[in-house]
Amino acid sequence: SAVISQKPSRDICQRGTSLTIQCQVDSQVTMMFWYRQQPGQSLTLIATANQGSEATYESGFVIDKFPISRPNLTFSTLTVSNMSPEDSSIYLCSVGDRVDSPLHFGNGTRLTVT
Amino acid sequence: AQSVTQLGSHVSVSEGALVLLRCNYSSSVPPYLFWYVQYPNQGLQLLLKYTSAATLVKGINGFEAEFKKSETSFHLTKPSAHMSDAAEYFCAVSDLGIQGAQKLVFGQGTRLTINP
């Protein structure tokens, strides 16, 4: 299975600033996914990132708030822009190509906004 | 759209006792189902998956789950709980997302506590 590395593992940020989270995979993958896990809650898909095209966002998430880059088949970034305390969450990168294959997850980025 | 419901946000069992975590799904097509475990301060780790082969699926760490179409259930079990099983467990169903890629829909999670 793919090995996924996320950076940073955690951060504390001030309101109004932005943070870019990096996701590196040890093999080429077609689809990369970004999930959010709010405190004490389940995971919600933010967007799907396909190399060479614009990311596709789920309902409730917009590109201005969560811009995503996917420059190649092994790397992606998620930026959390103009942060507020409500953005305090764990952000997880995952990869998976087929509907019957499981997603593999990175260890997540624990973000606290003060 | 597919969905999953996990019954019980918290489950507490004694060490050595049976673990049973409940998951029911809603799907208009034969589902692909997964159980993940999340240990404190870590990401998600796949425990097992159901992809329309055997209905009884064996996973890692002694866990198994049985797919029951008539009950639309995919409950997770382990015969004898160990202290190291204390974690958050998520049931998920695969849904078709953009360009046919899979999109996982997660249940709310069940926090498993093991009592010594």
Side-chain angles (χ1 to χ4, degrees):
Chain A
S1 63
V3 176
I4 304 166
S5 302
Q6 269 188 248
K7 291 181 181 179
S9 59
R10 61 180 66 238
D11 207 342
I12 301 173
C13 301
Q14 290 192 343
R15 179 196 301 261
T17 62
S18 297
L19 175 72
T20 295
I21 302 168
Q22 299 180 2
C23 179
Q24 179 75 53
V25 189
D26 70 343
S27 59
Q28 294 185 339
V29 294
T30 305
M31 295 291 186
M32 296 179 77
F33 307 86
W34 288 97
Y35 282 81
R36 182 176 73 180
Q37 185 179 21
Q38 294 178 298
Q41 300 203 19
S42 188
L43 285 79
T44 303
L45 181 64
I46 297 172
T48 302
N50 191 8
Q51 193 267 335
S53 63
E54 294 286 327
T56 304
Y57 291 81
E58 297 295 307
S59 176
F61 297 97
V62 295
I63 187 171
D64 289 347
K65 176 67 175 177
F66 298 101
I68 288 172
S69 77
R70 182 79 200 275
N72 58 51
L73 291 173
T74 63
F75 188 78
S76 178
T77 66
L78 169 76
T79 298
V80 186
S81 304
N82 188 24
M83 288 183 285
S84 67
E86 292 71 35
D87 295 320
S88 297
S89 296
I90 301 172
Y91 293 86
L92 297 115
C93 170
S94 67
V95 303
D97 279 331
R98 297 189 349 248
V99 69
D100 61 343
S101 66
L103 290 185
H104 299 283
F105 286 83
N107 278 340
T109 296
R110 282 153 182 78
L111 171 62
T112 302
V113 183
T114 60
Chain B
Q2 329 290 45
S3 66
V4 291
T5 302
Q6 290 183 241
L7 301 177
S9 57
H10 287 88
V11 171
S12 181
V13 302
S14 298
E15 189 174 19
L18 170 72
V19 175
L20 171 61
L21 305 182
R22 301 178 187 272
C23 173
N24 287 87
Y25 68 90
S26 172
S27 175
S28 58
V29 297
Y32 297 115
L33 294 159
F34 308 88
W35 274 99
Y36 286 85
V37 60
Q38 184 178 35
Y39 297 104
N41 298 314
Q42 294 189 27
L44 273 71
Q45 180 181 3
L46 179 70
L47 275 178
L48 49 81
K49 63 178 181 178
Y50 168 75
T51 57
S52 75
T55 56
L56 182 62
V57 182
K58 294 188 183 298
I60 63 172
N61 301 340
F63 284 93
E64 62 183 35
E66 186 172 9
F67 173 73
K68 291 187 177 180
K69 183 178 179 180
S70 61
E71 300 178 6
T72 61
S73 68
F74 190 56
H75 301 332
L76 182 71
T77 61
K78 182 174 180 177
S80 177
H82 191 273
M83 295 299 291
S84 60
D85 294 327
E88 188 89 18
Y89 291 80
F90 293 95
C91 182
V93 64
S94 186
D95 197 357
L96 274 181
I98 303 303
Q99 299 176 28
Q102 76 155 284
K103 161 184 160 180
L104 279 187
V105 177
F106 285 86
Q108 287 303 107
T110 298
R111 182 171 298 277
L112 176 64
T113 301
I114 311 298
N115 302 313

